[in-house]
Amino acid sequence: MRKHSYITLLFIAAVGSLRAQTVTTKLVPIHLAASFDRVKEAIPDISDQLLDSKMLIRPLASTDTTASFEIEEQGISIETLVDNEKEYNKLVSAAANDVSKPSIHILYHYNLKDKKSRVKPPRKIFFFPEYGVIWTLTVRKIAEKDTKIVLEYKSLASAFAEKIESEFKGDHYYNNKMVKIAVNDKRMRTLIEQILINQMHVDRDYPAPTYPARN
């Protein structure tokens, strides 16, 4: 059983006029009993193995011992954006133990634009079922059959961030502002590790088994 340590990283994320404190729960890096070259070659093909989610994978840099990739995680969830802190904390806690939950949760606050209004106008309902998160994945060679994978949160995907910003600005009666973003890499780490080992078999010796793309 691999032990996990949890490190909370705080920083400010800015996308256009959207600013929020981002809290990232970071797990211990994944160690695979597989060669660096096998893992590095397999990473770009992970997206072909997915059934109910989507990843866009782009290589960034590579040496004899290190390779980095940018991954855009695309998923569907109605739990990513909430305006209630109690509900937000509940969702964040659930995501820490459930790989089916989205990798990101956003808490936003709102206030009335016209403070003098005697009639409280209706709230705009925000609905963002399709979310997007940008990760940086780094593969490092530790030994001949020991490879480490480090997954780090980079930002919201631009299309997802722009959608939120556009909807917020389109609210005629209320000012809306993101105040917290919770990022948990449990889902992505589990998914990547399971695909590499259980479907792509990077831990097996050559000749490498084939892994046809999913339809």
Side-chain angles (χ1 to χ4, degrees), residues 143-158:
E144 204 57 43
K145 291 282 287 185
D146 185 4
T147 300
K148 182 170 71 173
I149 294 178
V150 178
L151 188 65
E152 296 177 298
Y153 169 76
K154 183 178 179 182
S155 67
L156 301 179
S158 58

Side-chain angles (χ1 to χ4, degrees), residues 2-21:
R2 185 175 67 251
K3 293 182 179 180
H4 297 116
S5 68
Y6 297 90
I7 305 171
T8 300
L9 306 176
L10 301 179
F11 54 95
I12 297 296
V15 184
S17 62
L18 303 180
R19 299 180 65 85
Q21 181 188 62

Side-chain angles (χ1 to χ4, degrees), residues 185-202:
D185 54 7
K186 183 179 182 66
R187 176 180 182 273
M188 282 290 285
R189 285 180 177 274
T190 302
L191 188 60
I192 289 171
E193 183 175 15
Q194 288 180 346
I195 289 175
L196 289 174
I197 296 299
N198 298 337
Q199 294 175 221
M200 304 180 80
H201 310 294
V202 297

